[in-house]
Amino acid sequence: MKRPLYKAGLLAATIAVFASCKKFDDINIDPQAANADQVQVEYFINNSMIGAQMDPHIAERVFVLYWKTAGHQQAAGGLSSGAANDGWTSDYYSYISGWLNSINTGIQVAQEKITAGNVKPYTNNLLQVARIWRAYLMSELSDNFGPIPINGFQGVNPEFADVKTVYYYLLSELSDASAKLDVNISNPANLAKQDPAYGYNYNLWKRYANSMRLRLAMRLSEVDAAKAKSEFEAAASGILITDAAQMFQVQEKPGWDALTGVMSREWNAQMLPVALDNIMFGLGGVKSADQVGAAMQASIKPADYVGKKYDQHFSQKTNNPRAGFWYDGLPNAIDPRAYKAFVIPGDFNNPSFCAYPSWDNSSKTTVRKLLASPSNATDINVDATYTWNSYNAGDWGALGSRNQVRAWAGAYPRLALQFRNSTSKRVFFAPWETYFLLAEAAERGWTVPMSAKMAYEAGIASSFAFWGVSNHLAAYLASNDYNALGTSVSYDHITEPGASRTMSYVDGYTNTAGTATIAYPSNTLYKNGSVRNDRLTKIITQKFIAQTPWLPLEAWNDHRRLGLPFIENPCIENPLVTMPALNSGNFMTSNVKFFPQRLIYPSGLKNSNANGYAQALQFLGGADDVFTSLWWAKK
């Protein structure tokens, strides 16, 4: 006789995690009605993985409006200016609780089957896969909020753990699960479809576990160097994600479910952010003339040109080095991935041009007005066709009120269509990240399989291959040209650029040509702003580019951990009530209080689990706000 799988305590555990009740969706068999033979571990893994791919509702709130904004992979205010939304956060906490609920149930089901001897040849491997996936989900949750439970599947309100304890647990789980995976186990033909990433290829899951361990170990580099080093070196001795065929990714599809594209909502403009613009501008020395078609050749500007100056319309109260200027053409040279990821305004025949939103013509309207100002009595028409610009978040005051170009989607490069129309694969871990992690580790003197330079260049090569621009790789790797931040590509070129450079411009109101001294920004978050072109800056610069647009949470994590790459402050023509530390006396400096550090716990947590919430705040070591740094981040 088949015994019931769930006893009362376990049944309660399947419907409660982190004090959040969420029913299972899209599970092949109802676990509350099924017996031990019918309930399969793979159903729970599949349900959790597909859920974490994010349906459009939660993807817009978390992936786009939180992660891409905080990670500066799109031009937006909101969280990047210190503002969070409790409704969005509550939704996310509920969703990820459900994903963890599913995967934890899968782990318990596997353990019960193993204990009862009711196993298949691959049951133990499914258990290890589930533990690896749970480690990712828990790291995602902790990287957003900080302290979280690690015992959140016991059918009762859980105890919270500090971030150090969480990370030690996750590193241990990844190590143990990877070691226990048997890559020689064969699967039945129908099992592969239950794994949307790897089709239960256990060699790939082992690679993912080891590369994830690299990621999490490096997160501790600034606060727990000995642990970071030992864990990283142990993981680096195993097989890793080093090839495009090993990438952890999940196919998107059009529609409205958990597999619909995370960046698919048409009303999100997803314009080129200032941070990425400054990084790619001039980087690598690859000429625009060799990248764009004949119609755009006349729009290419000289290498020393900074743009048209409109100081009555574009805010300069930020440490963005090109603030106040409108670039009325295309850069002389730019990172070759730039024009692939973000399409030039007016390039309507480009198959990657995104015409969203489909219900109006705003994306194809490139002419906008700068309204009359104190220095100019008449309106100015600005044609953004074949131009390359980004705009600062923040408060623009009176300047913004008379600037119709600012934030107009048709006037700025916007994310390419293939990332918007649910036809791509969402990347969770790619080979370039492995290589940049190895490069950073080697630069720190840790024992890894290759030199820092070799890993750095392999990471760039992997990213170039992803974008289809490998024809520019050799010249790019050898380039000593500085970008707008004073960083070059060549790993051997560590000469600092100097404090500033002289650039030409045109007064936008009088059309008078002139020259200006444009200072390289001082990133006081990193080595007190004393360097712009050391090797760690190069590594994180390249990692930031490569992680766009699929891994904004990791971009945010690196900036919180290291203060790299340089990211500009929001404009403050008027004080930002959501960022009180930033003011007119310090906006030229960088400070952790000028960047979001975490999400605020959902308001319902303190009511549903008061003791857990109190524990979380104690472990957090600061106020439950967006500017309290996590344990592993800069203070």
Side-chain angles (χ1 to χ4, degrees), residues 89-399:
T89 305
S90 297
D91 283 352
Y92 173 55
Y93 203 86
S94 176
Y95 268 75
I96 196 169
S97 295
W99 309 332
L100 278 162
N101 187 14
S102 290
I103 201 62
N104 274 298
T105 303
I107 289 169
Q108 289 198 352
V109 169
Q111 290 171 333
E112 282 214 353
K113 285 178 178 291
I114 291 169
T115 299
N118 180 24
V119 297
K120 298 174 181 176
Y122 53 86
T123 301
N124 176 69
N125 271 3
L126 295 187
L127 171 61
Q128 309 317 320
V129 165
R131 293 171 69 198
I132 293 165
W133 178 245
R134 179 176 64 180
Y136 165 73
L137 287 178
M138 291 180 68
S139 73
E140 179 184 303
L141 186 66
S142 180
D143 290 347
N144 278 277
F145 294 101
I148 63 167
I150 57 176
N151 64 336
F153 198 63
Q154 308 298 324
V156 296
N157 278 343
E159 299 284 321
F160 276 66
D162 62 89
V163 176
K164 179 178 180 179
T165 300
V166 170
Y167 261 77
Y168 274 46
Y169 173 74
L170 298 181
L171 290 166
S172 175
E173 280 288 282
L174 290 170
S175 173
D176 189 64
S178 175
K180 290 177 178 175
L181 268 177
D182 185 347
V183 299
N184 297 312
I185 292 294
S186 298
N187 296 322
N190 64 346
L191 185 64
K193 66 182 180 180
Q194 298 295 333
D195 175 2
Y198 282 149
Y200 284 114
N201 180 319
Y202 301 122
N203 178 280
L204 296 181
W205 272 103
K206 184 181 283 281
R207 290 177 183 275
Y208 177 60
N210 293 336
S211 285
M212 267 292 295
R213 194 174 168 200
L214 297 185
R215 176 194 282 180
L216 300 189
M218 188 59 76
R219 196 90 81 235
L220 312 187
S221 62
E222 306 306 297
V223 293
D224 197 349
K227 178 68 170 177
K229 180 177 183 293
S230 64
E231 291 284 349
F232 195 101
E233 290 178 345
S237 68
I239 58 174
L240 303 167
I241 294 174
T242 54
D243 186 86
Q246 301 158 0
M247 197 178 305
F248 192 108
Q249 55 187 349
V250 176
Q251 179 66 55
E252 298 179 331
K253 67 177 185 179
W256 186 286
D257 62 25
L259 291 174
T260 304
V262 290
M263 294 175 276
S264 60
R265 298 306 89 193
E266 292 195 20
W267 47 83
N268 299 138
Q270 311 217 24
M271 294 179 282
L272 175 69
V274 170
L276 190 60
D277 185 12
N278 282 327
I279 285 173
M280 295 191 298
F281 197 95
L283 187 66
V286 181
K287 303 296 185 184
S288 285
D290 297 328
Q291 301 185 58
V292 301
M296 300 185 210
Q297 294 290 324
S299 298
I300 299 171
K301 297 296 183 179
D304 69 343
Y305 182 67
V306 70
K308 280 192 170 182
K309 187 174 184 178
Y310 290 111
D311 56 2
Q312 294 295 305
H313 292 86
F314 288 87
S315 175
Q316 298 176 78
K317 285 195 172 182
T318 171
N319 56 352
N320 173 10
R322 296 185 292 151
F325 293 94
W326 168 263
Y327 206 80
D328 56 325
L330 299 177
N332 189 267
I334 194 168
D335 188 295
R337 291 165 288 188
Y339 294 147
K340 298 291 186 179
F342 294 86
V343 179
I344 297 166
D347 190 13
F348 305 135
N349 293 324
N350 187 332
S352 292
F353 182 85
C354 180
Y356 293 169
S358 57
W359 50 82
D360 64 32
N361 207 38
S362 58
S363 64
K364 293 187 176 183
T365 304
T366 56
V367 179
R368 300 291 290 167
K369 290 184 182 294
L370 301 179
L371 303 180
S373 66
S375 63
N376 196 72
T378 59
D379 297 349
I380 300 172
N381 284 329
V382 173
D383 188 351
T385 302
Y386 304 157
T387 62
W388 191 262
N389 291 276
S390 54
Y391 79 92
N392 268 83
D395 190 312
W396 283 42
L399 281 69

